Amino acid sequence: VKQKKSDGTFDSHIRKLKKISSKRMKDWHKNMRSNFPREYYTWQYERFKKVGRGYILKLKNGVAVRNSLEKDVGDFLISEGHKFDYEPLISVRGKFYFPDFKLNNNIIEVTGWKHPTETKIIKLKGKIVDYQRKGFNVVLFIPPQFRKFYKAFDRLIISDLRELRYFLKPQ
């Protein structure tokens, strides 16, 4: 190593190794997405769950959730006797999603974004369209103080747990 550093080849050698490694990883990801999408996205999701603060709260049934808003919704669903899946894998037209709550044919996305970016709104719209194409009824649970940031979704927004009760009543 000392010799390579002194003759100036060490840095170029490290850059070359990084480039090779990067290419290999990009190829691996591409192969996994193409040939084993369900396994790939499940694996990626498991890794994603460990990023940031992670799952810091628990519902009454012991399921770990990300934040207090999800906890409020989840505990409400439990108290109302609803069976649900928390962040299940759903595949729609080759895309994979993990909605916050899935109850039979209903999906509840819980979000408290303050000032969501245009990119986040576009992605959320696409996700909702895909859910609906798959036959799901979709509702967004958003705190009342943030509704103004979600004007594009007015007809899908619920901000009160009592409203959620009506969404979940059998049709």
Side-chain angles (χ1 to χ4, degrees), residues 7-146:
D7 67 16
T9 60
F10 181 78
D11 288 336
S12 65
H13 187 69
I14 293 296
R15 279 194 299 276
K16 184 178 175 184
L17 288 173
K18 283 181 180 179
K19 190 174 183 178
I20 291 167
S21 175
S22 176
K23 168 89 170 92
R24 186 173 30 237
M25 286 307 296
K26 286 177 185 173
D27 290 345
W28 181 86
H29 282 275
K30 183 178 179 181
N31 175 55
M32 289 297 291
R33 279 192 307 270
S34 298
N35 298 316
F36 308 99
R38 180 168 294 279
E39 294 86 351
Y40 175 77
Y41 286 102
T42 301
W43 175 76
Q44 285 288 68
Y45 178 66
E46 289 303 318
R47 291 181 66 220
F48 172 73
K49 289 193 311 190
K50 296 173 185 170
V51 173
R53 294 182 0 203
Y55 293 72
I56 56 175
L57 300 171
K58 288 195 188 256
L59 301 179
K60 293 176 185 176
N61 65 0
V63 171
V65 295
R66 296 177 184 278
N67 57 54
S68 61
L69 190 57
E70 287 183 356
K71 180 172 175 20
D72 291 345
V73 171
D75 284 343
F76 172 79
L77 295 173
I78 292 166
S79 69
E80 292 286 307
H82 292 287
K83 293 190 182 343
F84 60 86
D85 293 313
Y86 177 71
E87 294 187 343
L89 172 66
I90 294 178
S91 174
V92 184
R93 299 177 343 149
K95 296 178 187 170
F96 293 85
Y97 300 106
F98 298 88
D100 295 318
F101 296 94
K102 179 182 165 290
L103 301 82
N104 300 317
N105 220 30
N106 298 310
I107 287 181
I108 304 169
E109 283 288 355
V110 178
T111 183
W113 292 331
K114 302 169 190 171
H115 310 290
T117 64
E118 186 175 340
T119 302
K120 281 186 176 183
I121 294 295
I122 289 168
K123 284 183 180 181
L124 186 57
K125 279 182 185 177
K127 187 189 306 190
I128 290 169
V129 166
D130 283 345
Y131 289 156
Q132 290 171 333
R133 282 186 181 145
K134 185 101 176 181
F136 289 105
N137 302 312
V138 182
V139 69
L140 301 175
F141 193 90
I142 297 171
Q145 67 269 29
F146 301 136

